[in-house]
Amino acid sequence: MLYFSKRFVCKSIFAFFLFLSLSGFSQDKAEQAIQNMDKNFPQEKVYLMFDKNSYAAGDNIWFKAFVFDGYSKSNVSTTLFVELYDSSKKLIDKKMLPLYNSEGNGNFQLADNLKENIYYVRAYTIWMTNFSEDFQFMKSFAVYNPNSPEKLIKNDNADWSVSVFPESGTFVAGIDTKIAVRLQSGGTLPKNWNGYIIDKDKPNAHLADFESFDQNVGSFFMTPQKDKQYQVVITDNNGKNQKIDLPQVAESGINLQVKSLADKIEYQIKSNNIADESGYYKIIATIGNRFVYKARIRKNSNDEVFSIPANQLINGILQFTLFDEKENVVAQRLCFIQPQKLNFLKPVVQSISKNLNPKSLNSFDIKSDSNIYDVSVAVYDQSKFNQKENILSAFWLTGDFTDTIEQPVQYFSDNRNTDALDALLISEKWKRFNWKDIISGKFPVIKNQPEKYISYNVRITSNGAPVKNTNINLMFEGDKSGSKLLTVITDNNGDLSLKNMAFYEPQKIYYQLNADNPDAVIIPKVSFVPLKKELPQSDFILVKRNPNDALTSEASLAIENSQFQKKLNEKVTDIEEVKLIAKKQSPTEKLNDELSSPMFQSASETIFDFVNDKSLATGSPDILLWLEGRVAGLQIQRDGADVDVLMRNKKVDIYLDEVKTELEILRGFNISNIAMIKVVKDDFFGGFGNSNGAILIYTKNGNTGSGEVMKSMTGLKFFILKGYDKPDFYKNIFYSNDSLKNLIDNRINLYWNPKLPLDQSAKVEFYNNDSAKQNRVIITGFDDEKQLPVFSDSILN
């Protein structure tokens, strides 16, 4: 029987029943347990995309973050914690970032005197801390510094280990079985290796020979015989070899065999010497924590092949679990659904203007027919960049596994080997849950609940005693003249809660009440959680640096890039200082400062200035009709008398003079009364964490700033709330300025934008370095409506 969910299967839902027996099981604990896991224990995973593979001391590490729940965007968490560690697990820096639509971006500024070594970036949500740390995001980086007393070198001669995995975990006499062979190492894995199988009693006779698929895995078939002990001998391209025993051959048992084809997934139960062939097995298939398929199979159905239609499932890891009649796990097998056909959205790169001369201007357009609000775009010098992971490999593979997988991007490239991916999954085990535990009722203990954006408890005291059930006036001060008043009431403990806030700069909040010696104790509801486990091994080692040692090519490139960036920043700073002297505030900027308080200002706002641009008021006199078609991604949805305003297919809030307003009030509202309209597509402090954005309407007789309120609060006590860590601004080089053209440009990254508005099309302009002969464009994102990754990796031609 197939089970589907709209959230999980983005296709037509249909009813499909596969009955292999009219007899049922007396227990259904497994189904109940997995449904409990799905409902109450969503499994978040994080992917961070970085601007480069390695860095030098003094560099910025730039990153874009995506948070998923299984195979869709997560709606669990709105805050991401990102930490930077050195190789001794010392915390160097940490960032708390807002997640808008399950995405965020940020950066770490490395110190100029940072020692050359391997450093680690950890990323997680508070919800993820309820589960194993092994599923949190962790990535290592080489950071180079020629002034360090030690240097990094690749650990190319590291030992490697080999493991063997019979399909479904059983090795039964007389059953032709697929065996996966997996290599792992604390250093660099050999690029090529091969192996052969021997009977331990006859070591000179090869029973089978095979070649590796890639650095990670290879596979072979064999039919074991009872009372035999088999071994696999592996030899790498450097002549190193290892020998490992295969599991003991079982005289009786079953083997679950699976084939993932383009149109279906076939599975077969092979058995030998089963004492009682009456009765049934139960097989359950899950995608993540989601129950999607169940069947009852007779124990004597040894030659039957069963199938599941793959076109009704999504790409992803499917786990087959075979149970006996007492719901004991008999065999398990992982496979990938439709590896031959990966379902993701690929934006089109077109209208290419290409010039490979040094420091020349290049451009291209990005076009997509899907409802994609924004994408991340990076352009690289192809000769200097090697991508080991991307959103596809993280979304479909590494985000759900804890073992190191070398070059996971290869399993989802255009020239991918589907047999290699299948062998890799035979060698893996699903660790998100354990069937025995959840069937017995042992579920994860939830200690940390997610809060929507930033939340604080503030305890108000007077002479040390809590001020209970009392009205308190709060005033939020911004960095300009504006401010906002808010009246709240403390609870029985003297606490008040400030919830769902999204802001960057620290907020000074004044408070007023009739009490002696009032004081405020700030208690954040969500904070960083220390890392408990040890850091993973790296494929580099640290050795003493001698005075005449030459830099490796990777170190030299990273240091040259860093030196170029420092010189560029110095020149750009000089240019910007000159511009700043001459810059005057525009009439629209001045109007925005006058009308909107800091709580209602956002970096993502679009301003329509009706005071200084008289042409805006022409056309329809009705404000709703005027808004329609003016803002990309904004929809006015009508259903008879009901009207909704949507952004990215979600309702947005309406504010009139910074007071939240029902849409009904705007019916027939004359546009001649409007001074300014702002459309905010992300969160802002005044919205208290409304990630769907807002439309802010300012009337000509409405808010004119709150400077007078601010003056009245002078002398009152205050407390300060720390907000999110605001990312620095990434400066893409602009060579139209002649003063920059004498710089020696050896950049790896030619363009970086973690959040390029798309709205079906966008234009990208970038300047070449001094040597690039091929430019590589990587576009990354996620489509909310179709719940599919957005990805394109192409060479500009």
Side-chain angles (χ1 to χ4, degrees):
M1 186 186 300
L2 277 171
Y3 298 84
F4 297 102
S5 162
K6 186 176 181 181
R7 171 181 164 223
F8 219 46
V9 183
C10 304
K11 301 177 182 179
S12 299
I13 301 174
F14 78 114
F16 177 87
F17 299 94
L18 177 59
F19 288 106
L20 298 170
S21 169
L22 296 177
S23 173
F25 282 96
S26 60
Q27 302 179 51
D28 287 314
K29 291 183 179 179
E31 294 92 311
Q32 294 171 11
I34 193 63
Q35 288 166 354
N36 189 355
M37 279 293 297
D38 179 41
K39 180 180 179 181
N40 298 310
F41 304 96
Q43 302 291 301
E44 287 188 314
K45 53 189 176 186
V46 175
Y47 167 59
L48 263 59
M49 178 180 74
F50 294 87
D51 65 317
K52 291 188 293 187
N53 293 328
S54 58
Y55 298 87
D59 274 355
N60 250 309
I61 297 178
W62 302 91
F63 58 86
K64 172 65 180 283
F66 298 86
V67 181
F68 303 108
D69 171 12
Y71 297 115
S72 61
K73 281 281 192 74
S74 175
N75 59 7
V76 177
S77 298
T78 52
T79 298
L80 183 70
F81 297 90
V82 189
E83 300 167 348
L84 179 65
Y85 292 87
D86 68 11
S87 58
S88 62
K89 217 173 90 168
K90 178 184 177 182
L91 182 62
I92 297 175
D93 200 357
K94 58 184 181 181
K95 304 288 183 181
M96 184 172 72
L97 305 174
L99 291 169
Y100 299 134
N101 199 30
S102 303
E103 297 180 14
N105 63 280
N107 67 289
F108 288 111
Q109 174 67 60
L110 302 178
D112 289 330
N113 62 350
L114 199 65
K115 290 184 178 181
E116 182 164 322
N117 211 330
I118 295 298
Y119 294 82
Y120 297 83
V121 171
R122 173 197 183 200
Y124 59 94
T125 66
I126 284 298
W127 179 253
M128 292 172 68
T129 62
N130 294 302
F131 309 96
S132 170
E133 282 185 330
D134 292 337
F135 291 105
Q136 296 174 12
F137 179 89
M138 184 74 73
K139 185 174 177 65
S140 62
F141 290 98
V143 176
Y144 297 100
N145 186 344
N147 298 317
S148 287
E150 295 178 303
K151 65 177 183 178
L152 290 169
I153 61 171
K154 274 277 190 180
N155 189 11
D156 291 327
N157 295 317
D159 291 333
W160 43 263
S161 62
V162 58
S163 304
V164 291
F165 301 88
E167 183 174 14
S168 79
T170 61
F171 197 45
V172 183
I175 298 177
D176 190 28
T177 304
K178 185 176 182 179
I179 312 289
V181 182
R182 178 82 173 266
L183 260 60
Q184 290 180 313
S185 172
T188 304
L189 284 173
K191 292 183 178 180
N192 300 296
W193 48 275
N194 57 63
Y196 59 88
I197 299 87
I198 59 172
D199 180 342
K200 205 170 183 178
D201 294 331
K202 299 177 181 179
N204 296 323
H206 292 202
L207 301 178
D209 294 87
F210 66 97
E211 298 285 335
S212 64
F213 293 123
D214 52 49
Q215 308 99 306
N216 299 299
V217 288
S219 71
F220 61 90
F221 284 88
M222 70 172 296
T223 304
Q225 299 176 21
K226 68 175 183 178
D227 300 326
K228 296 286 187 180
Q229 177 63 61
Y230 300 98
Q231 291 182 319
V232 175
V233 181
I234 303 296
T235 305
D236 69 12
N237 51 296
N238 295 319
K240 288 185 179 179
N241 62 73
Q242 282 193 34
K243 187 183 294 183
I244 184 172
D245 290 343
L246 269 74
Q248 189 72 36
V249 179
E251 292 188 28
S252 63
I254 68 163
N255 185 244
L256 173 61
Q257 301 186 356
V258 178
K259 292 181 180 178
S260 186
L261 307 176
D263 59 341
K264 59 187 175 181
I265 300 169
E266 291 184 345
Y267 67 92
Q268 190 173 12
I269 310 297
K270 291 289 188 77
S271 63
N272 192 21
N273 294 327
I274 298 296
D276 180 10
E277 292 194 353
S278 64
Y280 301 85
Y281 293 116
K282 175 170 66 178
I283 191 162
I284 288 178
T286 55
I287 303 177
N289 284 358
R290 192 159 293 261
F291 174 33
V292 295
Y293 174 85
K294 180 178 74 171
R296 291 172 172 82
I297 303 172
R298 292 183 181 276
K299 287 186 176 180
N300 60 4
S301 57
N302 211 17
D303 296 323
E304 292 187 66
V305 177
F306 310 103
S307 66
I308 303 173
N311 62 351
Q312 296 299 325
L313 298 172
I314 59 171
N315 290 129
I317 307 297
L318 186 70
Q319 178 181 206
F320 282 97
T321 305
L322 191 68
F323 297 89
D324 64 18
E325 290 167 297
K326 295 182 179 179
E327 293 200 303
N328 297 311
V329 174
V330 178
Q332 288 181 283
R333 169 73 148 93
L334 301 177
C335 72
F336 192 84
I337 302 166
Q338 286 190 306
Q340 305 86 353
K341 182 183 179 182
L342 300 180
N343 191 16
F344 64 95
L345 303 178
K346 188 173 184 179
V348 177
V349 177
Q350 61 184 22
S351 304
I352 300 169
S353 175
K354 183 177 176 181
N355 187 340
L356 291 176
N357 291 325
K359 299 181 175 70
S360 58
L361 177 64
N362 294 260
S363 67
F364 57 87
D365 291 343
I366 302 172
K367 181 174 174 56
S368 175
D369 296 330
S370 299
N371 183 28
I372 306 170
Y373 174 60
D374 58 54
V375 291
S376 302
V377 181
V379 182
Y380 298 97
D381 179 342
Q382 167 63 6
S383 66
K384 298 180 174 68
F385 181 73
N386 174 33
Q387 189 174 39
K388 297 181 179 180
E389 185 162 21
N390 58 32
I391 193 171
L392 302 184
S393 59
F395 184 65
W396 283 323
L397 185 63
T398 56
D400 285 312
F401 293 103
T402 59
D403 294 328
T404 300
I405 300 173
E406 187 74 19
Q407 292 282 346
V409 70
Q410 66 186 311
Y411 298 108
F412 305 99
S413 63
D414 289 341
N415 60 347
R416 61 190 175 275
N417 185 333
T418 59
D419 290 332
L421 177 57
D422 192 60
L424 184 78
L425 292 178
I426 290 176
S427 73
E428 286 286 356
K429 184 177 181 180
W430 191 259
K431 298 177 183 177
R432 289 286 190 180
F433 63 85
N434 178 281
W435 277 112
K436 184 178 180 180
D437 286 344
I438 65 173
I439 289 174
S440 65
K442 185 179 177 181
F443 291 95
V445 177
I446 302 302
K447 296 180 180 179
N448 299 316
Q449 293 288 349
E451 291 284 338
K452 187 170 175 62
Y453 295 101
I454 301 175
S455 296
Y456 289 94
N457 269 355
V458 182
R459 176 160 293 179
I460 305 297
T461 63
S462 174
N463 291 316
V467 179
K468 304 177 182 180
N469 305 313
T470 302
N471 287 331
I472 297 179
N473 293 322
L474 301 181
M475 197 220 48
F476 297 78
E477 179 196 23
D479 56 355
K480 296 174 184 160
S481 61
S483 57
K484 279 288 173 183
L485 278 173
L486 181 67
T487 300
V488 296
I489 186 169
T490 59
D491 62 17
N492 290 329
N493 297 315
D495 291 351
L496 58 90
S497 293
L498 298 176
K499 297 182 178 180
N500 303 345
M501 299 184 295
F503 59 97
Y504 283 115
E505 303 298 334
Q507 294 291 323
K508 181 184 287 187
I509 301 179
Y510 292 86
Y511 57 99
Q512 183 183 45
L513 72 160
N514 295 321
D516 296 328
N517 300 316
D519 204 359
V521 179
I522 312 301
I523 307 169
K525 285 195 171 183
V526 172
S527 61
F528 293 84
V529 177
L531 176 65
K532 296 178 182 178
K533 72 171 188 176
E534 294 303 312
L535 294 169
Q537 286 185 293
S538 162
D539 54 358
F540 284 85
I541 55 175
L542 207 57
V543 298
K544 183 179 178 181
R545 188 190 301 275
N546 296 314
N548 298 323
D549 282 352
L551 294 173
T552 64
S553 58
E554 186 176 6
S556 178
L557 186 58
I559 292 166
E560 286 176 13
N561 269 259
S562 182
Q563 291 172 344
F564 167 80
Q565 194 64 47
K566 288 176 182 177
K567 292 178 181 177
L568 174 65
N569 289 341
E570 290 171 1
K571 287 186 174 289
V572 169
T573 299
D574 292 340
I575 294 168
E576 287 180 346
E577 285 177 353
V578 172
K579 286 182 179 178
L580 191 61
I581 294 172
K583 183 179 179 181
K584 292 182 179 180
Q585 195 176 34
S586 71
T588 297
E589 291 172 331
K590 186 177 180 182
L591 180 69
N592 190 26
D593 281 348
E594 290 175 354
L595 295 181
S596 62
S597 62
M599 289 174 61
F600 287 81
Q601 295 186 1
S602 167
S604 70
E605 63 190 18
T606 301
I607 300 174
F608 298 96
D609 179 357
F610 289 80
V611 173
N612 298 293
D613 187 352
K614 305 297 183 183
S615 65
L616 290 178
T618 60
S620 171
D622 184 274
I623 191 170
L624 292 181
L625 292 174
W626 185 91
L627 280 169
E628 196 166 17
R630 296 286 182 131
V631 180
L634 186 71
Q635 299 172 291
I636 308 295
Q637 192 174 81
R638 294 175 173 82
D639 183 9
D642 296 327
V643 180
D644 288 323
V645 179
L646 307 179
M647 190 88 69
R648 308 175 201 161
N649 294 319
K650 297 177 181 178
K651 288 185 180 181
V652 299
D653 289 332
I654 307 294
Y655 291 81
L656 186 62
D657 291 329
E658 299 189 352
V659 177
K660 194 171 180 180
T661 305
E662 295 298 326
L663 194 60
E664 185 69 25
I665 294 176
L666 299 182
R667 287 183 182 274
F669 199 97
N670 198 305
I671 205 165
S672 63
N673 296 324
I674 303 299
M676 181 176 72
I677 295 177
K678 296 201 300 184
V679 179
V680 180
K681 295 183 178 180
D682 281 338
D683 272 33
F684 58 100
F685 188 34
F688 287 89
N690 173 28
S691 60
N692 299 339
I695 297 173
L696 311 175
I697 301 169
Y698 295 85
T699 63
K700 291 180 178 178
N701 298 318
N703 183 28
T704 57
S706 304
E708 295 303 317
V709 176
M710 176 65 204
K711 292 176 184 177
S712 70
M713 302 293 281
T714 302
L716 295 180
K717 300 197 77 170
F718 63 85
F719 55 85
I720 295 176
L721 299 182
K722 182 187 181 301
Y724 288 113
D725 294 290
K726 190 173 184 179
D728 293 332
F729 178 71
Y730 188 92
K731 299 174 182 177
N732 285 301
I733 193 167
F734 194 62
Y735 271 129
S736 60
N737 191 301
D738 291 337
S739 65
L740 303 179
K741 292 186 176 179
N742 61 344
L743 295 174
I744 298 174
D745 186 351
N746 197 28
R747 283 173 298 148
I748 302 169
N749 190 321
L750 308 179
Y751 177 88
W752 171 262
N753 190 335
K755 195 170 185 179
L756 177 70
L758 190 54
D759 294 328
Q760 294 192 334
S761 66
K763 188 176 187 66
V764 173
E765 292 185 335
F766 69 95
Y767 284 83
N768 199 28
N769 60 18
D770 288 338
S771 59
K773 300 305 178 186
Q774 282 188 319
N775 295 325
R776 182 174 176 182
V777 179
I778 297 178
I779 303 168
T780 305
F782 201 87
D783 183 271
D784 299 334
E785 183 179 344
K786 297 179 180 178
Q787 291 294 303
L788 289 175
V790 175
F791 183 71
S792 173
D793 185 349
S794 60
I795 303 297
L796 284 187
N797 292 316

